[in-house]
Amino acid sequence: MKMIIAVVQDKDSNRLQDALVEKNYRATKLATTGGFLKAGNTTFMIGVEDAQIDEVMDIIRENCKSRNQMVAPVSPMGGNADAYVPYPVEVEVGGATVFVLPVESFQQF
Ligand code: 2BA
């Protein structure tokens, strides 16, 4: 068994959740915050059998789009002005950042 951890954009989260339920996959959705943009994103924990990983990856790929997002400059007040970028910078976010972890034990009581 594996635990798939997928960080996705909030805009894709409902569509991904519906697609997982439709295909009978069980998932837990967490409200999370990206460390770089400091903006909300959504993390799914999806416990699956090894043979189901490819199908779940396909579902994630089909339902999560990459988008460009602007990063507002942060004032260097009291900080290092050398690295300060005074204009917004565009970064590409997503589709999804996915980790696959081994599950040592799975119990439901
Ligand atoms: P954030 O940390 O808010 O990052 C948003 C986007 O900003 C990233 O998109 C990437 O394009 C850019 N970015 C992040 N760190 C950067 C840096 N040090 N320098 C320049 N650009 C940077 P994604 O790579 O698609 O990541 C989307 C979200 O997935 C991340 O939001 C974070 O919440 C999560 N994530 C990505 N890589 C991760 C990792 N190795 N471990 C844990 N979470 C990760």
Side-chain angles (χ1 to χ4, degrees), residues 53-70:
I53 290 173
D54 289 345
E55 187 180 21
V56 172
M57 290 295 185
D58 288 343
I59 294 171
I60 295 171
R61 198 176 294 114
E62 283 161 16
N63 289 281
C64 298
K65 295 194 181 90
S66 70
R67 297 180 183 86
N68 290 337
Q69 208 161 314
M70 300 304 287

Side-chain angles (χ1 to χ4, degrees), residues 73-85:
V74 179
S75 159
M77 290 251 293
N80 179 4
D82 294 346
Y84 179 57
V85 182

